[in-house]
């Protein structure tokens, strides 16, 4: 007897669900939304909410920056990428940031045109370590030492060229890059303005010469129209005037001649 009402209740609930398809759609929508939301949480990590910048946070950030150290790579092995540099130097300590200066695009274009390697090459670079003590030890221990690794490796016989930059931080590098870009931009603008001035000066002189030749041609046509009609006009400074001046004998030559005559 007690089981029959339960069966009836279940049947009533099923009947209500069949009579209300919207309920099924809503419930399935909620389940799908929950499942999709779970997938998003798994794929995209939730970012921590950042509060306002306080004095304590600023001091903590400044202390971390003071502990960092920068190592300068004066020569990057040919075609070594930043990922490879990070892989090699991360064995000795935590590497934060890496910046490598790419080679001149004109040099790379010329090498590719000559049938050389098409990979990107770098000139020098900077590596930031989380601990400046480790950075100092790494630069001291690896400088002028072979990179090593497997003998079949492309960089096994290359040498490290490292130098620890004392009291040098990463923001100094960004300031240097910005300064170099500003200097290069100013130099380019100066060269462009100089080229424009030279061009305007040349065009002005060409126009001035054209007007002068035209004026001389018209004056020559007016003067020689009745005499020799078809004669070509004289060009500017075509006939030069040569003047001669009476020369005076030097004093030494006259006195010497007189002394010679008296002796005879």
């Amino acid at each position: 007897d007690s089981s029959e009402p339960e069966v009836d209740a279940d049947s009533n609930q099923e009947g209500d669900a069949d009579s209300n398809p919207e309920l099924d759609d809503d419930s399935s929508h909620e389940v799908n939304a929950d499942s999709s939301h779970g997938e998003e949480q798994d794929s995209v990590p939730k970012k921590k909410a950042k509060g306002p910048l306080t004095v304590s946070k600023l001091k903590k950030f400044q202390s971390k920056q003071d502990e960092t150290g920068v190592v300068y790579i004066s020569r990057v092995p040919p075609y070594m990428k930043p990922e490879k540099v990070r892989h090699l130097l991360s064995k000795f300590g935590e590497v934060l940031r890496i910046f490598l200066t790419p080679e001149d695009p004109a040099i790379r274009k010329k090498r590719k045109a000559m049938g050389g390697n098409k990979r990107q090459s770098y000139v020098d670079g900077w590596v930031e370590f989380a601990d400046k003590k480790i950075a100092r030890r790494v630069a001291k221990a690896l400088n002028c030492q072979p990179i090593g690794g497997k003998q079949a490796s492309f960089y096994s016989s290359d040498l490290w060229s490292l130098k620890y930059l004392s009291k040098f931080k990463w923001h100094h590098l960004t300031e240097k890059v910005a300064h170099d870009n500003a200097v290069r931009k100013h130099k380019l603008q100066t060269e462009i303005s100089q080229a424009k001035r030279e061009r305007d000066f040349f065009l002005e002189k060409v126009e001035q010469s054209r007007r002068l030749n035209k004026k001389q041609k018209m004056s020559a046509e007016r003067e020689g129209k009745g005499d020799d009609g078809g004669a070509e006009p004289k060009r500017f400074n075509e006939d030069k005037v040569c003047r001669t001046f009476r020369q005076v004998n030097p004093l030494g030559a006259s006195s010497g001649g007189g002394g010679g005559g008296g002796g005879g």
Side-chain angles (χ1 to χ4, degrees), residues 5-33:
E6 293 178 357
V7 172
D8 293 337
D10 294 337
S11 62
N12 292 333
Q13 290 177 358
E14 291 177 357
D16 294 337
D18 295 336
S19 61
N20 295 328
E22 297 179 356
L23 182 61
D24 292 341
D25 296 338
D26 296 338
S27 60
S28 62
H29 180 69
E30 291 176 358
V31 172
N32 294 332

Side-chain angles (χ1 to χ4, degrees), residues 89-110:
L89 295 181
S90 296
K91 302 175 184 178
F92 308 99
E94 183 182 357
V95 177
L96 299 180
R97 287 174 285 192
I98 296 176
F99 176 77
L100 301 182
T101 305
E103 64 178 345
D104 191 359
I107 298 176
R108 184 185 181 189
K109 184 177 179 180
K110 184 178 180 180

